[in-house]
Amino acid sequence: LGGGRTLDDSVLADLEELLFTADIGVKTATALLEMVRAKVRARALADPAQLKQALKVEITRILALDGAAAALPPFAPGQVRPWVVMVVGVNGSGKTTTIGKLAAKLKDAGHSVVLGAGDTFRAAAGEQLEVWAGRVGAPVVRGKNGADPASVCFEAVQQGVTTKADVVLCDTAGRLHTKAPLMEELKKVKRVIAKAVPGAPHEVLLVLDSTNGQNAIAQARQFHEALQVTGLALTKLDGTAKGGVIIGICDELKLPVRWVGVGETVADLKAFSPAEFVEALFE
Amino acid sequence: TVAKGFKAARNKLKGRTEITTEVVDEALRDIRVSLLEADVSFEVVKRFVARVREKAVGEVVETRVKTARGKLQVTPQDHFIKICHDELEGLMGPVDTSLSLPDRVLSGIMLVGLQGSGKTTTAGKLARKLKQDGKKPFLVAADIYRPAAVEQLKVLGAQLDVPVFHEAGLQPPELCKRGREAAARAHATVVIYDTAGRLAVDDQLMIELEQIKAAVEPANILLVCDAMIGQDAVKTAVEFDRRLDLSGFVLTKLDGDARGGAALSIKEVTGKPIKFLGMGEGLDRLEEFRPEGLASRILG
Ligand SMILES: Nc1nc2c(ncn2[C@@H]2O[C@H](COP(=O)(O)OP(=O)(O)OP(=O)(O)O)[C@@H](O)[C@H]2O)c(=O)[nH]1
Ligand SMILES: Nc1nc2c(ncn2[C@@H]2O[C@H](COP(=O)(O)OP(=O)(O)OP(=O)(O)O)[C@@H](O)[C@H]2O)c(=O)[nH]1
Ligand SMILES: [Mg+2]
Ligand SMILES: [Mg+2]
């Protein structure tokens, strides 16, 4: 009485399990599988390998946004200087570590970098960034403990201007997107950065932890609404989490993934490659 | 939300004097979607739906018989919802928020987990709670890798007036051993070991945890888990449990809007209880686990 389960059904069931266990989420997985089912119905696809390939092509299309994998900022001489990046995200997502790695990449590419210790709240946050600054050989601007984060970032950007630095990376304290006063604080940091350099920050980088499930979508929506996020970094992809929630985020908000974090050392930051990401998703 | 799923399910059953298996399946589809959106693990959702279906279809047959005999005790809708709630409560499991801290013995609490899950902060929270409970806590900073990790714990210890032990140049197992000795010398009654975040699949670092356990034999080993975690929760919990035989879990960052479905999954799959909930960054933000709170949150 199992009812005739066709090859199609069992293949689709397998694909469904693959998508769900990769944190792709119900809405996005359903849309992707509907697209595949349509192709099966139209007899456009016959065998399981083709179904998988159709999924891969569609997911790659969603992720390959303009700016994805356009990693280093535009630094042709005469271009914007300093290029200011404000790094935001929920607690523990990997902001401070990503800043350290990014600073190293920029220095290796011959750019001068200033770090802003905009997390004046959490225990030893400034000390943590100072260690990274020492590792990569970049100056770090700190305030006193409990100092106003906006003024620390302002000073960091100012120092970038006076020292003719190429890039300023501003760290901020982790915060949950549901906390309105903390989101207001970030908006103020952004406004104050613009006072130091009109048009700054040129990049608002939202750092997402790839072990997060569907809550990452709420994070992206809220941070984007508050700050007009311009790029994403997806951390901890060296683990077993697939980070599939990024597909729905890219589809809905059209925010490009710039970087992926693949470990805890200074070299563990790669430019995002949609094709590589999709391959890993289906492993 | 899962509540929307349950509401939709309930509405599908409304006003019927009997429910057919087709209606049950339709209702279960809504609930399945809700649980997946709440980050409950795919396998656990599958099992939950199968168990509810089995019971609900059994109920269909029963109510049909009762109707034939002219008595209908409870509406099929209430039956179905009750089955779902009972199953969910079953998944939440019996509450056990106790820590093994027998009198006149120096007991250990070892905190482990993925990177950034909230271990160091939780160490501080536990120290604060234990001090309030009349215990004498002692912190050991055994994360030798993360920049300023030791400093972070020392800042928390200073805020709480709780001693923090660290000795440079030692590997974590030896460090914890000496930390325990220092705790004993200080006449502490509970020693809390903060360890570095690590991937469950990092064999070297997982062995390190096994070595710490062997060195100091902590009476309590808690996996600190971020409530926002997705489908990876089960793999992570199973591996940490397999290696260390966990006492239970701490679920952190529940002051956000993460549904926390991972809580169901890790409990179901390991059988270990959720002991504490992290409800904020402040050191006073630690609560004992209550199933109703979490169940209603996962149900939306
Ligand atoms: N495995 C792995 N760990 C990472 C990665 N990125 C960051 N981490 C680790 O994640 C933990 C948290 O990183 P932080 O940089 O402190 O995160 P944060 O967002 O600045 O945290 P808060 O400032 O407290 O909100 C640290 O243990 C990092 O080493 C990554 O790509 N892979
Ligand atoms: N909102 C909120 N933030 C929390 C909670 N618990 C911890 N945090 C924050 O989460 C971030 C990470 O906390 P840590 O204690 O450094 O995490 P960890 O597990 O020790 O990190 P690693 O040692 O790098 O693995 C910090 O910003 C904490 O303040 C909580 O219950 N709620
Ligand atoms: Mg940080
Ligand atoms: Mg820590």
Side-chain angles (χ1 to χ4, degrees), chain A residues 16-17 20-21 23 91 121-124 128 176-179 211-215 219 236 238 240 264, chain B residues 32 37 39 42-43 115 146-148 151-152 155 199 201 228-232 253 255-258 281:
Chain A
E16 186 186 54
E17 176 161 357
F20 278 123
T21 54
D23 284 315
N91 307 74
F121 170 74
R122 205 209 67 211
Q128 184 184 5
L176 297 181
H177 51 284
T178 48
K179 309 207 163 169
T211 62
N212 281 182
Q214 299 309 300
N215 193 253
Q219 294 171 30
K236 309 180 196 174
D238 46 315
T240 42
E264 301 190 69
Chain B
R32 178 176 180 259
E37 286 179 337
D39 290 323
F42 187 80
E43 275 304 319
Q115 291 88 348
R146 169 173 155 155
E151 182 61 17
Q152 185 184 1
V155 170
L199 300 175
V201 292
M228 301 181 262
I229 193 170
Q231 297 290 318
D232 198 47
K253 308 178 200 171
D255 45 316
D257 59 358
E281 293 191 75

Side-chain angles (χ1 to χ4, degrees), chain B residues 223-243:
Chain B
L223 176 67
V224 178
C225 191
D226 188 328
M228 301 181 262
I229 193 170
Q231 297 290 318
D232 198 47
V234 166
K235 282 198 210 78
T236 298
V238 164
E239 183 60 13
F240 274 95
D241 189 40
R242 182 182 78 81
R243 298 258 197 171

Side-chain angles (χ1 to χ4, degrees), chain B residues 80-102:
Chain B
F80 181 79
I81 296 300
K82 174 151 194 335
I83 291 170
C84 286
H85 271 273
D86 289 351
E87 264 314 298
L88 208 65
E89 267 191 41
L91 280 181
M92 294 264 117
V95 177
D96 171 17
T97 62
S98 66
L99 290 171
S100 168
L101 304 172

